[in-house]
Amino acid sequence: MRNLEEALEDIRFALLNGGDAVTPFLSLEPADQAQALEELSEEERDHIFANLDIGARASILEELPEDEAAELIEELSPAGIAEILDETSHDVAADILSQLPEAQATSTLKQMEDADEVRPLLQYPPESAGGLMTTVDLVLKKDQTAAEVIETIRAYEVDANSPYYLYVTNDAGKLVGVIGLRSLIVSQPSAKVEEFMVSDVHKINVLSDQEEVAQMMKKYRLALVPVVDSEDRLLGAIFSDDIAYILEEEATEDMYKLANISDTDIQVWSPVGFSIKRRLPWLVVNLATAFLAASVVYFFEETIQRAAILAAFLGIVAGQGGNNGSQTVAILIRGIALGQVELKDVREVLNKEILVCLVNGAVIGAAVGLGAWVWQGNPALGVVVALAMIMNMVVSGLAGTVIPLALKALRFDPAASSQVFLTTITDSLGFGLTLGLAAFAMWQFGVNF
Amino acid sequence: MRNLEEALEDIRFALLNGGDAVTPFLSLEPADQAQALEELSEEERDHIFANLDIGARASILEELPEDEAAELIEELSPAGIAEILDETSHDVAADILSQLPEAQATSTLKQMEDADEVRPLLQYPPESAGGLMTTVDLVLKKDQTAAEVIETIRAYEVDANSPYYLYVTNDAGKLVGVIGLRSLIVSQPSAKVEEFMVSDVHKINVLSDQEEVAQMMKKYRLALVPVVDSEDRLLGAIFSDDIAYILEEEATEDMYKLANISDTDIQVWSPVGFSIKRRLPWLVVNLATAFLAASVVYFFEETIQRAAILAAFLGIVAGQGGNNGSQTVAILIRGIALGQVELKDVREVLNKEILVCLVNGAVIGAAVGLGAWVWQGNPALGVVVALAMIMNMVVSGLAGTVIPLALKALRFDPAASSQVFLTTITDSLGFGLTLGLAAFAMWQFGVNF
């Protein structure tokens, strides 16, 4: 295997000097070829791709994200696309077709040899088990012997994508068992499949969500999982090498949502218009809540006129409450995603969380209070901000715990909106507590700040 | 396979009524048994575990996180522990031993039959390839025939953990090739290993970081990767079923750091003291930066005295800048983690980001300005906050782009500290711009708010 960086230098050099860029490109294996293409400019990319044979093109499409794969071939004629997609695995072909314009996809499919295998895969949503699965070509029957099976495998055209597990179905097409190549090798040639197959098979329904698939394959460490319909008929299988991508996608999703981004498709290189459309809505939502918090401050306008210094501490009290709450939210979002916690645990989690926030609140509150006192030489100010801070920290911990669990219980996505609710609470409360306590001290005890 | 929930009911019922809890427990497969134990109280857990045979205990330890596995057995005698760990795979045994107290681990290891296989695994850091790998017992030579290899496999005790790939080494123990069981089955019995082995093998150095291992196995879709020393000698192999866990851990790490949590070990059920220790430091850091922002407000105390209403808008301008910047940071952190972007791309990313922030800033700025105008019936106020908002949004986009890339280039962890720097900038600037522009309007043009 060539080193990607070296090869890229040779390729770029060849492209600049009209030399042969294809040979260094082909010295890479498909996964690196795909990455190399992503690093090249669009013209360079198209130039190289145009000079590859069908097989090489197909194996690159296998490695690219489906949208990029579609981009690479959308210029080609339906016949040309069909020729390539016939060489890719069926699930990849289906994923790419679903990215092409309706008309182009239809006419491409018409001209594909594997149309009959690929078409059924197109009917399932891309994030479902059906969207992830590929077709299973080699299916066994219970009464075949080990020797017969080995013969079938020999006769059968084997490629890197052929699985290490073979499924057994009955005449109705229902999944009745699975054998691994290992047990095949170690069993007597005359042994019947039913004698050494495992009949208690992990399987997943074709409509299950991809996250469910990923968590199941991860938990039971499955290299391959069979996909069945409601009648247990074998429809296809999902390879574990997709799981890493799914889990990363789901993790990115949660992380983005905490940062108020609603769409994982956004990444560094997304087009500007797309980024604006996906980022703006959340800013607008946050703006509404920000006005809510602002009205709390406005309510105390008179107080601030008399003690403008309070304005300097509003951000500290509100902000720290927000930071503390975000910590809690992040921990709960992750806990929910990994299935460690649900609504029924709320009291137990709260007890723990309140303790944590009381301690951290006391420390931070004391620090803020002392800071205010020393800075402004005004002990009363220190007491006010210290009290406001402690209360805001504890409430933010409560809110950070209850909000995600409640949203989850109400079947909303906890990651998506927890942060907005939290900020509204911590800001409004932070402002209100600080100014309210100060006002109270002023009007009741004639304290000055 | 039993359904976990059903089985748990039966188990709890049996435990309450002194019935047989072990039978329903054993109706579950190991991964579910492990999960069931986690759902039970400590006494219940120990009671059930104590009533399992060695094999059942071993297969549960295989499925538990190493720290929980260690907890389950630490009460046992070294001899008792050794007996169980001899039944687990070598890497699991090593991981668990590394969680036990030094003395206990040493005396346990002394009494283990597999000591010689496990000991070498203990010398590598847990987050390195060496820490993840397990030993490879069955290694082939180039001149063996397919028939001989199949015989070896037959003779060799096969269990679910035996791999589907077999490595070939030379007399010096150097890795020279790999064969898959599939090619073994389809090749002629008389064919020599060297004829059908793949000699161009993906391998990883024993000291590589676990993230490197995960990214490599993910990229090349490897089910198993051989681990070698600097001289290419085969030391062990890593199974892909660990990858999902590693990738999730890395993703959690980034997400937590954005929420100012420095330690992925924190989760919902972490002990209070532990959570406090890990969460407090970040709050303290943020407090320092908050005082910085507060001093900006203090600098404009006089302005606020004359126009207290401005205080209500400080939070909006600063907060929206923060939200916008967080979006940018999250996208860049993810881009950096997935290797999509590095410092050299900074100009290109900035051009894109500035555009996005200009548009979003204009929209949000206009909304805030109008809101302020309508709410307070004061157009000048609207102009001031609108201008401040637009500027803060654009700067937050710049900062959100440059900070993570710069930290990465300086070999700091971008996820860990970007948020703190960002907030300091967006708060200070948000406050400063709003109050500065207002002061300017007041003193220069005698505008009143």
Side-chain angles (χ1 to χ4, degrees), chain A residues 32 35 162 182 219 270, chain B residues 32 35 162 182 219 270 352:
Chain A
D32 285 321
Q35 195 179 335
S162 338
R182 201 192 304 103
K219 178 176 179 184
S270 306
Chain B
D32 285 320
Q35 196 179 333
S162 344
R182 199 190 303 105
K219 177 176 179 185
S270 306
K352 207 183 117 307

Side-chain angles (χ1 to χ4, degrees), chain A residues 369-446:
Chain A
L370 276 171
W373 182 0
V374 173
W375 185 20
Q376 298 294 327
N378 183 335
L381 180 65
V383 175
V384 165
V385 292
L387 286 177
M389 178 64 83
I390 295 172
M391 295 192 235
N392 203 27
M393 293 268 291
V394 173
V395 175
S396 67
L398 291 176
T401 307
V402 174
I403 293 170
L405 289 173
L407 286 169
K408 175 69 179 178
L410 296 169
R411 306 207 171 295
F412 290 110
D413 179 341
S417 29
S418 294
Q419 201 65 19
V420 181
F421 288 114
L422 178 74
T423 318
T424 317
I425 295 175
T426 50
D427 280 0
S428 312
L429 202 69
F431 298 156
L433 284 167
T434 313
L435 295 169
L437 288 169
F440 182 76
M442 278 197 252
W443 312 135
Q444 296 299 317
F445 309 112

Side-chain angles (χ1 to χ4, degrees), chain B residues 367-386:
Chain B
V368 174
L370 275 170
W373 181 1
V374 173
W375 183 22
Q376 299 293 327
N378 183 334
L381 180 66
V383 175
V384 165
V385 291

Side-chain angles (χ1 to χ4, degrees), chain A residues 145-147 150 179-192 195-196, chain B residues 154:
Chain A
T145 65
I150 290 181
I179 66 165
L181 293 194
R182 201 192 304 103
S183 51
L184 184 62
I185 289 182
V186 297
S187 54
Q188 294 309 318
S190 61
K192 282 214 156 51
E195 296 168 30
F196 58 92
Chain B
R154 279 228 178 84

